Amino acid sequence: MNFLELAKHRCTIRSFIEQPIEKEKLDYILEAGRVAPTACNKQPQRIIVVQKSENIRKVEKAYKTFGTQCVMIICRDTRDALIRPFDNKCSGDLDIGIITDHMMLAAREVGIGSVMVGLFDPHIIRREFAIPDYIEPTALLILGYPKNGFLDANRHTRERKALNETIMIEGYSEPLR
């Protein structure tokens, strides 16, 4: 399928069957993250792949895992951050978002469901996985085979705002109501 079709087919999955992800598919997903662009090619991602049940239980102390057999802890190395000098905005969170999005799209392409989570307790993740202070747990990417299949790719016509509600040309203006 072309890119837009793939993007429309990707959806958030929050219920998985107890089936491990094949190594070839997992490697494909990780490779998609590896080739993702990052600011100044700094490549700040540090990814912990969690598949053992005892380690999945450690993740569950910080956030629910929806019955998955695979969680990726997407971390950011803060030691060489690219900081925008005008307002001290760090590019790291953008980089992690791009990397994670690449992996979610690759996962969907090979029939794997996903959900990206930012609302987890990073202190628990840091403690349970012995993550050093300069590595920041930024996102969880929960992957697996969907228990109830994938959502309808045409749902975007109902669930997303129209382009004219979010796009402005040549300057900011409030969308028409």
Side-chain angles (χ1 to χ4, degrees):
M1 66 183 99
N2 69 39
F3 179 78
L4 192 53
E5 289 172 322
L6 176 61
K8 287 180 178 181
H9 278 84
R10 206 227 55 92
C11 58
T12 296
I13 301 294
R14 290 188 182 95
S15 182
F16 300 96
I17 62 173
E18 290 186 27
Q19 178 181 339
I21 298 172
E22 298 85 348
K23 182 182 180 339
E24 301 78 32
K25 290 183 178 182
L26 189 58
D27 288 346
Y28 182 77
I29 294 164
L30 289 166
E31 180 67 7
R34 187 183 77 81
V35 302
T38 59
C40 293
N41 199 29
K42 292 211 177 257
Q43 303 173 56
Q45 70 270 26
R46 301 296 181 267
I47 300 170
I48 303 168
V49 179
V50 179
Q51 295 178 293
K52 292 182 179 177
S53 57
E54 62 268 22
N55 290 331
I56 298 269
R57 284 192 295 277
K58 289 179 181 180
V59 174
E60 288 173 341
K61 295 176 183 179
Y63 195 81
K64 55 190 150 232
T65 60
F66 309 107
T68 189
Q69 303 292 301
C70 182
V71 176
M72 292 184 189
I73 303 169
I74 317 294
C75 300
R76 179 175 70 86
D77 189 331
T78 63
R79 291 176 293 183
D80 189 25
L82 180 66
I83 307 295
R84 185 167 58 195
F86 311 103
D87 60 0
N88 293 320
K89 173 76 174 152
C90 177
S91 67
D93 288 347
L94 294 171
D95 292 338
I96 295 304
I98 293 166
I99 291 159
T100 305
D101 189 58
H102 269 55
M103 291 193 296
M104 289 188 300
L105 288 165
R108 180 59 185 95
E109 183 184 21
V110 297
I112 303 295
S114 64
V115 59
M116 177 183 179
V117 175
L119 189 61
F120 65 94
D121 189 330
H123 305 291
I124 293 172
I125 295 295
R126 182 182 302 285
R127 181 186 70 234
E128 293 294 328
F129 291 92
I131 298 172
D133 288 342
Y134 57 87
I135 301 295
E136 179 183 85
T138 307
L140 301 177
L141 180 55
I142 303 171
L143 299 163
Y145 289 97
K147 185 179 277 187
N148 302 309
F150 292 98
L151 297 176
D152 175 23
N154 295 316
R155 72 193 183 282
H156 300 289
T157 57
R158 300 180 308 275
E159 296 177 2
R160 295 288 192 265
K161 293 178 180 179
L163 281 176
N164 66 355
E165 293 183 61
T166 61
I167 305 299
M168 292 141 255
I169 307 298
E170 306 295 343
Y172 187 86
S173 62
E174 289 295 321
L176 297 174
R177 300 266 176 209

